[in-house]
């Protein structure tokens, strides 16, 4: 069983309507010990109508060379009590969390790399792309953000700013909304065009909509990408397990 830790909100700023960046630090002042691309599960302190605590996953998008003050982006969702509590958390709030979790980071990969993030999965992709472990892959990496509109979550200028100095090719692709019947086919076409232009990647990383990224990963593995070099984190619509 995961041992809960406590983080304190040490900074908060709104970067877009409904989206805030929270700076977090462990209450005891020690290192968090994460790798870029990983996430934590935060107890928002809200009890849902069915009696369960609202726990939500947040990826660190700050550089993993800084382990004592990290950043997450929080989107207030309509009717979402957990996201609302996180969005409204003032400086000084203490939050219980578990983690870091996940394996969305390089382990032995080399060569051409594809990173595909849908929707709010962009924070995991940012943390990965900016990480020290990704530095060798970055010059041959393409990062795709599949999103209905950057204004939905992180402003485009903000994302470009976070990637400043990171030698990846960054692409924003206009998305069909989640649950749209043609969403998967739409992403498959984007990936197909990428492979035609760049060739089959040697490694791939996926974050976001499980209904999209699971079959895309399986398709790339079938084409020849080593399974151990095709990693994903599904933050919603996950067929593998229930969302935290």
């Amino acid at each position: 069983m995961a041992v809960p830790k406590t983080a304190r909100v040490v900074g908060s700023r709104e970067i877009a309507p409904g989206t805030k960046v929270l700076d977090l630090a462990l209450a005891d002042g020690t290192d968090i010990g994460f790798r870029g691309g990983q996430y934590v599960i935060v107890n928002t302190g809200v009890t849902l109508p069915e009696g369960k605590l609202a726990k939500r996953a947040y990826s660190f998008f700050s550089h993993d060379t800084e382990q004592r003050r990290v950043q997450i982006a929080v989107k207030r969702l309509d009717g979402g009590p957990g996201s609302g509590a996180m969005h409204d958390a003032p400086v000084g709030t203490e939050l219980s969390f578990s983690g870091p979790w996940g394996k969305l980071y390089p382990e032995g990969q080399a060569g051409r790399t594809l990173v595909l993030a849908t929707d709010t999965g962009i924070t995991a992709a940012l943390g990965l792309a900016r990480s020290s472990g990704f530095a060798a892959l970055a010059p041959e990496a393409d990062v795709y953000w599949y999103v209905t509109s950057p204004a939905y979550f992180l402003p485009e200028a903000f994302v470009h700013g976070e990637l400043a100095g990171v030698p990846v090719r960054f692409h924003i692709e206009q998305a069909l909304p989640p649950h749209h019947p043609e969403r998967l086919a739409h992403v498959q076409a984007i990936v197909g065009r990428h492979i035609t232009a760049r060739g089959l990647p040697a490694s791939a990383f996926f974050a976001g909509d499980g209904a999209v990224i699971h079959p895309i990963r399986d398709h790339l593995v079938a084409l020849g990408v080593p399974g151990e070099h095709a990693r994903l984190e599904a933050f919603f619509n996950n067929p593998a397990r229930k969302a935290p």
Side-chain angles (χ1 to χ4, degrees):
M1 184 174 179
V3 178
K5 305 171 187 177
T6 301
R8 182 177 292 116
V9 178
V10 295
S12 174
R13 67 187 188 278
E14 188 169 57
I15 60 169
T19 299
K20 283 185 178 179
V21 168
L22 300 184
D23 291 7
L24 305 177
L26 286 184
D28 62 7
T30 58
D31 289 359
I32 287 182
F34 79 102
R35 297 174 71 167
Q38 290 190 304
Y39 65 94
V40 291
I41 298 177
V42 178
N43 179 351
T44 66
V46 173
T47 301
L48 299 173
E50 61 269 28
K52 294 182 179 179
L53 288 170
K55 296 183 179 181
R56 298 292 180 262
Y58 292 98
S59 298
F60 298 129
F61 68 84
S62 48
H63 201 295
D64 61 6
T65 55
E66 173 53 69
Q67 291 285 340
R68 297 208 170 185
R69 186 178 179 122
V70 297
Q71 294 177 320
I72 63 173
V74 177
K75 172 72 175 176
R76 179 193 290 278
L77 301 175
D78 292 339
S83 68
M86 290 291 291
H87 185 273
D88 294 340
V91 171
T93 300
E94 292 195 342
L95 300 167
S96 176
F97 73 94
S98 65
W101 304 110
K103 293 187 176 182
L104 197 72
Y105 50 76
E107 282 188 314
Q109 287 92 331
R112 290 190 299 269
T113 301
L114 171 66
V115 179
L116 172 64
T118 81
D119 314 292
T120 55
I122 185 61
T123 52
L126 284 176
L128 169 67
R130 301 179 69 196
S131 68
S132 53
F134 197 79
L137 298 176
E140 293 189 74
D142 287 86
V143 178
Y144 286 83
W145 184 18
Y146 185 74
V147 65
T148 53
S149 167
Y152 158 75
F153 183 38
L154 302 181
E156 183 175 348
F158 179 86
V159 176
H160 279 288
E162 294 301 302
L163 288 173
V166 181
V168 298
R169 290 177 291 271
F170 179 59
H171 318 265
I172 295 179
E173 296 285 346
Q174 181 70 43
L176 297 174
H179 307 295
H180 190 287
E182 297 180 12
R183 192 176 218 224
L184 174 57
H186 194 214
V187 179
Q188 287 173 327
I190 293 168
V191 173
R193 290 195 298 270
H194 170 80
I195 293 173
T196 298
R198 304 284 189 191
L200 186 69
S203 59
F205 300 86
F206 307 93
D209 183 355
V212 169
I213 61 176
H214 274 280
I216 294 291
R217 176 195 179 275
D218 292 346
H219 176 62
L220 289 188
V221 170
L223 289 177
V225 177
E228 66 274 18
H229 290 171
R231 299 188 170 193
L232 65 76
E233 292 293 350
F235 294 111
F236 62 101
N237 291 338
N238 191 348
R241 60 175 174 81
K242 294 182 179 179

